[in-house]
PDB file of all heavy atoms in Angstrom:
ATOM      1  N   ARG A 481     -11.089  20.550 -32.886  1.00  0.00           N
ATOM      2  CA  ARG A 481     -11.771  21.389 -31.867  1.00  0.00           C
ATOM      3  C   ARG A 481     -12.424  22.631 -32.563  1.00  0.00           C
ATOM      4  O   ARG A 481     -13.341  23.152 -32.235  1.00  0.00           O
ATOM      5  CB  ARG A 481     -10.857  21.891 -30.846  1.00  0.00           C
ATOM      6  CG  ARG A 481     -11.513  22.109 -29.605  1.00  0.00           C
ATOM      7  CD  ARG A 481     -10.509  21.962 -28.309  1.00  0.00           C
ATOM      8  NE  ARG A 481      -9.206  22.505 -28.617  1.00  0.00           N
ATOM      9  CZ  ARG A 481      -8.122  21.830 -28.398  1.00  0.00           C
ATOM     10  NH1 ARG A 481      -7.999  20.789 -28.060  1.00  0.00           N
ATOM     11  NH2 ARG A 481      -6.947  22.445 -28.648  1.00  0.00           N
ATOM     12  N   ALA A 482     -11.984  23.062 -33.647  1.00  0.00           N
ATOM     13  CA  ALA A 482     -12.443  24.239 -34.418  1.00  0.00           C
ATOM     14  C   ALA A 482     -13.801  23.853 -34.915  1.00  0.00           C
ATOM     15  O   ALA A 482     -14.741  24.774 -34.802  1.00  0.00           O
ATOM     16  CB  ALA A 482     -11.558  24.414 -35.724  1.00  0.00           C
ATOM     17  N   ASP A 483     -14.104  22.630 -35.256  1.00  0.00           N
ATOM     18  CA  ASP A 483     -15.469  22.186 -35.689  1.00  0.00           C
ATOM     19  C   ASP A 483     -16.385  21.651 -34.507  1.00  0.00           C
ATOM     20  O   ASP A 483     -17.514  21.665 -34.602  1.00  0.00           O
ATOM     21  CB  ASP A 483     -15.377  21.133 -36.777  1.00  0.00           C
ATOM     22  CG  ASP A 483     -14.870  21.807 -38.126  1.00  0.00           C
ATOM     23  OD1 ASP A 483     -15.165  22.937 -38.397  1.00  0.00           O
ATOM     24  OD2 ASP A 483     -14.184  21.005 -38.861  1.00  0.00           O
ATOM     25  N   HIS A 484     -15.575  21.095 -33.492  1.00  0.00           N
ATOM     26  CA  HIS A 484     -16.405  20.428 -32.439  1.00  0.00           C
ATOM     27  C   HIS A 484     -15.733  20.984 -31.018  1.00  0.00           C
ATOM     28  O   HIS A 484     -14.907  20.415 -30.545  1.00  0.00           O
ATOM     29  CB  HIS A 484     -16.217  18.860 -32.524  1.00  0.00           C
ATOM     30  CG  HIS A 484     -16.495  18.365 -33.845  1.00  0.00           C
ATOM     31  ND1 HIS A 484     -17.838  18.309 -34.433  1.00  0.00           N
ATOM     32  CD2 HIS A 484     -15.635  17.885 -34.813  1.00  0.00           C
ATOM     33  CE1 HIS A 484     -17.791  17.853 -35.639  1.00  0.00           C
ATOM     34  NE2 HIS A 484     -16.408  17.535 -35.984  1.00  0.00           N
ATOM     35  N   PRO A 485     -16.244  22.043 -30.642  1.00  0.00           N
ATOM     36  CA  PRO A 485     -15.648  22.792 -29.468  1.00  0.00           C
ATOM     37  C   PRO A 485     -15.622  21.951 -28.248  1.00  0.00           C
ATOM     38  O   PRO A 485     -14.915  22.228 -27.280  1.00  0.00           O
ATOM     39  CB  PRO A 485     -16.546  23.999 -29.293  1.00  0.00           C
ATOM     40  CG  PRO A 485     -17.303  24.134 -30.536  1.00  0.00           C
ATOM     41  CD  PRO A 485     -17.501  22.951 -31.233  1.00  0.00           C
ATOM     42  N   GLY A 486     -16.579  20.875 -28.171  1.00  0.00           N
ATOM     43  CA  GLY A 486     -16.599  20.036 -27.003  1.00  0.00           C
ATOM     44  C   GLY A 486     -15.512  19.046 -26.935  1.00  0.00           C
ATOM     45  O   GLY A 486     -15.313  18.359 -25.785  1.00  0.00           O
ATOM     46  N   ALA A 487     -14.775  18.913 -27.970  1.00  0.00           N
ATOM     47  CA  ALA A 487     -13.775  17.925 -28.044  1.00  0.00           C
ATOM     48  C   ALA A 487     -12.417  18.457 -27.504  1.00  0.00           C
ATOM     49  O   ALA A 487     -11.412  18.684 -28.183  1.00  0.00           O
ATOM     50  CB  ALA A 487     -13.472  17.445 -29.560  1.00  0.00           C
ATOM     51  N   VAL A 488     -12.490  18.699 -26.177  1.00  0.00           N
ATOM     52  CA  VAL A 488     -11.286  19.404 -25.461  1.00  0.00           C
ATOM     53  C   VAL A 488     -10.222  18.541 -24.988  1.00  0.00           C
ATOM     54  O   VAL A 488      -9.189  18.987 -24.533  1.00  0.00           O
ATOM     55  CB  VAL A 488     -11.913  20.159 -24.282  1.00  0.00           C
ATOM     56  CG1 VAL A 488     -12.843  21.242 -24.741  1.00  0.00           C
ATOM     57  CG2 VAL A 488     -12.652  19.218 -23.247  1.00  0.00           C
ATOM     58  N   GLU A 489     -10.427  17.170 -25.160  1.00  0.00           N
ATOM     59  CA  GLU A 489      -9.338  16.291 -24.380  1.00  0.00           C
ATOM     60  C   GLU A 489      -8.457  15.867 -25.344  1.00  0.00           C
ATOM     61  O   GLU A 489      -8.639  15.537 -26.527  1.00  0.00           O
ATOM     62  CB  GLU A 489     -10.051  15.044 -23.814  1.00  0.00           C
ATOM     63  CG  GLU A 489     -11.277  15.319 -22.773  1.00  0.00           C
ATOM     64  CD  GLU A 489     -10.775  15.991 -21.474  1.00  0.00           C
ATOM     65  OE1 GLU A 489      -9.578  16.078 -21.327  1.00  0.00           O
ATOM     66  OE2 GLU A 489     -11.686  16.206 -20.646  1.00  0.00           O
ATOM     67  N   LEU A 490      -7.084  15.733 -24.823  1.00  0.00           N
ATOM     68  CA  LEU A 490      -6.041  15.263 -25.576  1.00  0.00           C
ATOM     69  C   LEU A 490      -5.303  14.222 -24.708  1.00  0.00           C
ATOM     70  O   LEU A 490      -4.730  14.603 -23.685  1.00  0.00           O
ATOM     71  CB  LEU A 490      -4.982  16.398 -25.936  1.00  0.00           C
ATOM     72  CG  LEU A 490      -3.857  16.074 -26.874  1.00  0.00           C
ATOM     73  CD1 LEU A 490      -4.461  15.422 -28.221  1.00  0.00           C
ATOM     74  CD2 LEU A 490      -3.076  17.318 -27.168  1.00  0.00           C
ATOM     75  N   SER A 491      -5.628  12.929 -25.018  1.00  0.00           N
ATOM     76  CA  SER A 491      -5.044  11.879 -24.131  1.00  0.00           C
ATOM     77  C   SER A 491      -3.743  11.389 -24.740  1.00  0.00           C
ATOM     78  O   SER A 491      -3.735  10.765 -25.843  1.00  0.00           O
ATOM     79  CB  SER A 491      -6.003  10.762 -24.187  1.00  0.00           C
ATOM     80  OG  SER A 491      -5.548   9.557 -23.499  1.00  0.00           O
ATOM     81  N   ALA A 492      -2.572  11.648 -24.114  1.00  0.00           N
ATOM     82  CA  ALA A 492      -1.217  11.457 -24.614  1.00  0.00           C
ATOM     83  C   ALA A 492      -0.224  11.395 -23.390  1.00  0.00           C
ATOM     84  O   ALA A 492      -0.592  12.089 -22.420  1.00  0.00           O
ATOM     85  CB  ALA A 492      -0.810  12.401 -25.713  1.00  0.00           C
ATOM     86  N   GLY A 493       0.743  10.565 -23.617  1.00  0.00           N
ATOM     87  CA  GLY A 493       1.715  10.474 -22.608  1.00  0.00           C
ATOM     88  C   GLY A 493       1.525   9.342 -21.698  1.00  0.00           C
ATOM     89  O   GLY A 493       0.421   8.984 -21.324  1.00  0.00           O
ATOM     90  N   MET A 494       2.583   8.552 -21.500  1.00  0.00           N
ATOM     91  CA  MET A 494       2.517   7.315 -20.603  1.00  0.00           C
ATOM     92  C   MET A 494       3.757   7.563 -19.666  1.00  0.00           C
ATOM     93  O   MET A 494       4.299   8.543 -19.566  1.00  0.00           O
ATOM     94  CB  MET A 494       2.609   6.075 -21.443  1.00  0.00           C
ATOM     95  CG  MET A 494       1.883   6.168 -22.783  1.00  0.00           C
ATOM     96  SD  MET A 494       1.434   4.556 -23.664  1.00  0.00           S
ATOM     97  CE  MET A 494       3.059   3.824 -23.927  1.00  0.00           C
ATOM     98  N   SER A 495       4.064   6.435 -18.963  1.00  0.00           N
ATOM     99  CA  SER A 495       5.151   6.540 -17.943  1.00  0.00           C
ATOM    100  C   SER A 495       6.343   7.206 -18.526  1.00  0.00           C
ATOM    101  O   SER A 495       7.083   7.939 -17.778  1.00  0.00           O
ATOM    102  CB  SER A 495       5.475   5.103 -17.406  1.00  0.00           C
ATOM    103  OG  SER A 495       4.246   4.583 -16.698  1.00  0.00           O
ATOM    104  N   ALA A 496       6.739   6.727 -19.672  1.00  0.00           N
ATOM    105  CA  ALA A 496       8.181   7.172 -20.211  1.00  0.00           C
ATOM    106  C   ALA A 496       8.065   8.641 -20.783  1.00  0.00           C
ATOM    107  O   ALA A 496       9.181   9.131 -21.009  1.00  0.00           O
ATOM    108  CB  ALA A 496       8.539   6.232 -21.235  1.00  0.00           C
ATOM    109  N   ASP A 497       6.998   9.097 -21.184  1.00  0.00           N
ATOM    110  CA  ASP A 497       6.939  10.349 -21.977  1.00  0.00           C
ATOM    111  C   ASP A 497       5.740  11.325 -21.489  1.00  0.00           C
ATOM    112  O   ASP A 497       5.343  12.126 -22.387  1.00  0.00           O
ATOM    113  CB  ASP A 497       6.844  10.028 -23.508  1.00  0.00           C
ATOM    114  CG  ASP A 497       5.592   9.087 -23.782  1.00  0.00           C
ATOM    115  OD1 ASP A 497       4.681   9.069 -23.005  1.00  0.00           O
ATOM    116  OD2 ASP A 497       5.736   8.425 -24.894  1.00  0.00           O
ATOM    117  N   LEU A 498       5.527  11.243 -20.267  1.00  0.00           N
ATOM    118  CA  LEU A 498       4.314  12.169 -19.907  1.00  0.00           C
ATOM    119  C   LEU A 498       4.772  13.684 -19.876  1.00  0.00           C
ATOM    120  O   LEU A 498       3.811  14.496 -20.224  1.00  0.00           O
ATOM    121  CB  LEU A 498       3.579  11.681 -18.713  1.00  0.00           C
ATOM    122  CG  LEU A 498       4.360  11.881 -17.213  1.00  0.00           C
ATOM    123  CD1 LEU A 498       4.057  13.402 -16.691  1.00  0.00           C
ATOM    124  CD2 LEU A 498       3.955  10.913 -16.328  1.00  0.00           C
ATOM    125  N   GLU A 499       5.934  13.875 -19.731  1.00  0.00           N
ATOM    126  CA  GLU A 499       6.439  15.295 -19.599  1.00  0.00           C
ATOM    127  C   GLU A 499       6.257  15.941 -21.124  1.00  0.00           C
ATOM    128  O   GLU A 499       5.791  17.085 -21.261  1.00  0.00           O
ATOM    129  CB  GLU A 499       7.861  15.372 -19.126  1.00  0.00           C
ATOM    130  CG  GLU A 499       8.053  15.331 -17.608  1.00  0.00           C
ATOM    131  CD  GLU A 499       7.983  13.897 -17.091  1.00  0.00           C
ATOM    132  OE1 GLU A 499       7.937  12.860 -18.046  1.00  0.00           O
ATOM    133  OE2 GLU A 499       8.108  13.652 -15.841  1.00  0.00           O
ATOM    134  N   GLU A 500       6.695  15.141 -21.958  1.00  0.00           N
ATOM    135  CA  GLU A 500       6.570  15.674 -23.471  1.00  0.00           C
ATOM    136  C   GLU A 500       5.150  15.835 -23.827  1.00  0.00           C
ATOM    137  O   GLU A 500       4.866  16.712 -24.555  1.00  0.00           O
ATOM    138  CB  GLU A 500       7.196  14.664 -24.425  1.00  0.00           C
ATOM    139  CG  GLU A 500       8.819  14.659 -24.334  1.00  0.00           C
ATOM    140  CD  GLU A 500       9.392  13.618 -23.335  1.00  0.00           C
ATOM    141  OE1 GLU A 500       8.547  13.167 -22.430  1.00  0.00           O
ATOM    142  OE2 GLU A 500      10.565  13.227 -23.432  1.00  0.00           O
ATOM    143  N   ALA A 501       4.257  14.910 -23.348  1.00  0.00           N
ATOM    144  CA  ALA A 501       2.886  15.065 -23.741  1.00  0.00           C
ATOM    145  C   ALA A 501       2.235  16.327 -23.047  1.00  0.00           C
ATOM    146  O   ALA A 501       1.431  17.068 -23.732  1.00  0.00           O
ATOM    147  CB  ALA A 501       2.143  13.815 -23.233  1.00  0.00           C
ATOM    148  N   VAL A 502       2.520  16.569 -21.886  1.00  0.00           N
ATOM    149  CA  VAL A 502       2.046  17.741 -21.087  1.00  0.00           C
ATOM    150  C   VAL A 502       2.590  19.057 -21.724  1.00  0.00           C
ATOM    151  O   VAL A 502       1.801  19.981 -21.988  1.00  0.00           O
ATOM    152  CB  VAL A 502       2.477  17.669 -19.581  1.00  0.00           C
ATOM    153  CG1 VAL A 502       2.058  19.119 -18.954  1.00  0.00           C
ATOM    154  CG2 VAL A 502       1.604  16.575 -18.958  1.00  0.00           C
ATOM    155  N   ALA A 503       3.864  19.046 -22.274  1.00  0.00           N
ATOM    156  CA  ALA A 503       4.421  20.207 -22.930  1.00  0.00           C
ATOM    157  C   ALA A 503       3.598  20.462 -24.203  1.00  0.00           C
ATOM    158  O   ALA A 503       3.438  21.659 -24.649  1.00  0.00           O
ATOM    159  CB  ALA A 503       5.864  19.853 -23.209  1.00  0.00           C
TER     160      ALA A 503
END
Side-chain angles (χ1 to χ4, degrees):
R481 209 153 44 230
D483 289 332
H484 310 291
V488 294
E489 305 288 1
L490 188 56
S491 173
M494 319 199 307
S495 294
D497 54 21
L498 74 85
E499 284 81 4
E500 287 88 346
V502 171

